[in-house]
Amino acid sequence: DSGVTQTPKHLITATGQRVTLRCSPRSGDLSVYWYQQSLDQGLQFLIQYYNGEERAKGNILERFSAQQFPDLHSELNLSSLELGDSALYFCASSAGGAGMLVTEAFFGQGTRLTVV
Amino acid sequence: SQQGEEDPQALSIQEGENATMNCSYKTSINNLQWYRQNSGRGLVHLILIRSNEREKHSGRLRVTLDTSKKSSSLLITASRAADTASYFCATAAYSGAGSYQLTFGKGTKLSVIP
């Protein structure tokens, strides 16, 4: 158990809909990262938050947004969903990531999103 | 965009053999990490090597880092069927605004045949 909790584990929704994925980081970790993994693809970095602030943005579509709350949990919002958004979405947390060395990241089990 | 690129994309070996995976990257890094992913599950951290280190060991794992060539290798010795998984390298690099970003490659799919 990595200590990172992602909910829900599975999500099936229709095109055009909006979903919210939730992540609770490991206790004490201030950095949260979101990644997208499509079939046979590596992990595409979407966005990083550190202690409530957005710190880095990767290949995140404008239809996607995220935030990190004061209790450090994070949510990834995906809207106007398309078939191509079907993927595994991972959240990871680490102790560092802002002004300090990045140490190992701890991953949740992911949310498998299927858009039909 | 992918920072690290693993090679080969897939590797099939017999149990007991050694498995070597390589990773190349493009920009300066702070450290390089290797992760393992069992099918469809979350990634698990294996080992971290800092930019001023050249080699690191952990159990049956040996990682090397050559910053002049911007490359790293992961060696798994005496492989077991349970080592079957995808292996990813990840580079930690400064991304501005006081932040470090962790960027992953596409991974090497390792199959260990009993």
Side-chain angles (χ1 to χ4, degrees):
Chain A
D1 182 8
S2 66
V4 178
T5 304
Q6 286 188 252
T7 56
K9 286 190 171 59
H10 301 276
L11 200 48
I12 301 175
T13 190
T15 54
Q17 294 298 304
R18 172 189 168 96
V19 297
T20 297
L21 312 184
R22 183 187 167 103
C23 170
S24 294
R26 206 172 59 120
S27 178
D29 284 353
L30 299 180
S31 264
V32 169
Y33 305 80
W34 285 98
Y35 293 88
Q36 178 193 57
Q37 185 178 36
S38 302
L39 194 65
D40 292 333
Q41 294 292 311
L43 276 76
Q44 294 286 335
F45 169 69
L46 296 178
I47 198 163
Q48 178 204 356
Y49 281 84
Y50 180 83
N51 202 21
E53 291 186 10
E54 180 185 307
R55 284 304 184 121
K57 240 177 180 176
N59 300 321
I60 187 166
L61 301 171
E62 285 192 11
R63 300 183 284 108
F64 296 0
S65 65
Q67 54 184 326
Q68 186 179 29
F69 295 87
D71 66 353
L72 300 178
H73 92 271
S74 178
E75 292 180 357
L76 178 67
N77 300 296
L78 315 175
S79 61
S80 302
L81 285 167
E82 302 174 358
L83 295 178
D85 297 327
S86 295
L88 264 171
Y89 290 85
F90 286 105
C91 164
S93 72
S94 73
M100 55 189 288
L101 201 61
V102 173
T103 56
E104 63 185 290
F106 294 85
F107 278 77
Q109 290 301 303
T111 293
R112 184 174 292 282
L113 173 66
T114 303
V115 183
V116 297
Chain B
S1 63
Q2 306 296 137
Q3 159 75 308
E5 292 290 338
E6 289 91 343
D7 170 61
Q9 291 185 350
L11 180 61
S12 184
I13 60 173
Q14 296 289 329
E15 201 166 31
E17 293 181 339
N18 295 342
T20 299
M21 288 158 266
N22 302 297
C23 169
S24 59
Y25 57 92
K26 295 173 185 157
T27 63
S28 295
I29 62 171
N30 181 281
N31 65 63
L32 186 143
Q33 305 176 30
W34 285 90
Y35 288 78
R36 166 195 168 123
Q37 182 183 33
N38 286 76
S39 181
R41 298 182 64 80
L43 278 74
V44 175
H45 180 265
L46 295 176
I47 194 164
L48 180 155
I49 186 166
R50 304 197 188 285
S51 59
N52 61 353
E53 296 176 313
R54 292 297 167 256
E55 188 170 312
K56 205 157 182 183
H57 296 255
S58 176
R60 292 185 296 112
L61 306 180
R62 173 179 166 249
V63 169
T64 62
L65 178 65
D66 186 336
T67 52
S68 67
K69 294 181 180 177
K70 291 187 168 60
S71 67
S72 172
S73 68
L74 171 68
L75 168 68
I76 304 174
T77 59
S79 63
R80 305 165 182 168
D83 294 329
T84 295
S86 291
Y87 292 82
F88 294 87
C89 72
T91 52
Y94 186 65
S95 59
S99 288
Y100 288 87
Q101 188 171 314
L102 200 58
T103 310
F104 287 78
K106 290 190 177 181
T108 292
K109 193 171 287 191
L110 174 65
S111 298
V112 181
I113 302 163

